[in-house]
Amino acid sequence: MQTRRVKECDVYMRVAGMTYESLVDGPGIRVVIFVQGCDLACPNCQNPENQAMTSGREFSVREIIRMMKKAGPGRKLVRGITFSGGEPFLQAGELAQVAFEAKRIGWDATTYTGYTYEALSTREDADIKALLDLTDYLIDGPYIHEKRDLDLKFRGSTNQRIIDMEITRKQSGRIKLYYGS
């Protein structure tokens, strides 16, 4: 697995918001970073306000990591970090650094994306590969309103998958879906 520490000369990313105790954005209690910017423009998007590339606020990766580590009174109960959007893979390098630090404190990482795992895994982009390597649960695929299902766990439409990335990596990329709680 490729890992990277936060660089000495810090990088910045666009963030739409952050929540410290979510139960609906992956398994367990999670800190969620909603990134700003998406190039997919899925009809009936869950977070259309997060699509504009220049909205939101700019934060350094160091600031995001500091905020993540101050997850409030429930910090000891937090299981992991979730990256949602916008589209996280547009800021993959920055989020890989955050995921690396989350893993150092014992958290797992969930990443939402409108792209499919197959499309991402074939890209020749070191930052995308780094974020995929550090992601434990990948929730992939665009939201399709005609396939909406309110009973689905952690997703909005039936085409979206929850991929157990650890097992998928061990199986040389053969996808293993996650069915846990």
Side-chain angles (χ1 to χ4, degrees), residues 105-126:
I105 61 173
W107 292 0
D108 63 41
T110 295
T111 306
Y112 281 82
T113 181
Y115 297 105
T116 63
Y117 168 74
E118 293 84 355
L120 290 169
S121 65
T122 59
R123 297 266 310 266
E124 293 297 323
D125 183 308

Side-chain angles (χ1 to χ4, degrees), residues 118-158:
E118 293 84 355
L120 290 169
S121 65
T122 59
R123 297 266 310 266
E124 293 297 323
D125 183 308
D127 290 337
I128 288 174
K129 289 189 185 313
L131 183 54
L132 284 172
D133 284 348
L134 290 161
T135 295
D136 296 286
Y137 305 103
L138 182 72
I139 301 170
D140 79 334
Y143 171 73
I144 299 174
H145 194 67
E146 294 75 25
K147 296 183 176 193
R148 181 179 182 197
D149 184 340
L150 297 177
D151 293 326
L152 292 173
K153 198 176 258 190
F154 311 135
R155 22 199 187 135
S157 57
T158 58

Side-chain angles (χ1 to χ4, degrees), residues 22-160:
S22 173
L23 293 170
V24 297
D25 295 297
I29 299 172
R30 313 194 66 78
V31 171
V32 183
I33 298 171
F34 296 94
V35 298
Q36 185 68 45
C38 183
D39 56 355
L40 297 172
C42 300
N44 298 299
C45 173
Q46 176 74 24
N47 300 321
E49 66 282 359
N50 296 0
Q51 290 180 7
M53 300 291 189
T54 56
S55 294
R57 260 186 78 200
E58 195 173 70
F59 290 92
S60 73
V61 169
R62 288 177 203 237
E63 289 173 297
I64 295 293
I65 291 168
R66 274 195 292 275
M67 290 187 293
M68 170 189 81
K69 288 179 177 179
K70 294 178 182 176
R75 183 183 183 279
K76 291 183 181 183
L77 301 174
V78 172
R79 174 175 169 174
I81 186 98
T82 294
F83 306 126
S84 191
E87 173 51 55
F89 281 94
L90 294 180
Q91 299 185 69
E94 295 85 346
L95 292 175
Q97 293 180 46
V98 176
F100 176 80
E101 292 300 321
K103 294 210 173 259
R104 285 178 34 126
I105 61 173
W107 292 0
D108 63 41
T110 295
T111 306
Y112 281 82
T113 181
Y115 297 105
T116 63
Y117 168 74
E118 293 84 355
L120 290 169
S121 65
T122 59
R123 297 266 310 266
E124 293 297 323
D125 183 308
D127 290 337
I128 288 174
K129 289 189 185 313
L131 183 54
L132 284 172
D133 284 348
L134 290 161
T135 295
D136 296 286
Y137 305 103
L138 182 72
I139 301 170
D140 79 334
Y143 171 73
I144 299 174
H145 194 67
E146 294 75 25
K147 296 183 176 193
R148 181 179 182 197
D149 184 340
L150 297 177
D151 293 326
L152 292 173
K153 198 176 258 190
F154 311 135
R155 22 199 187 135
S157 57
T158 58
N159 63 296
Q160 295 173 313

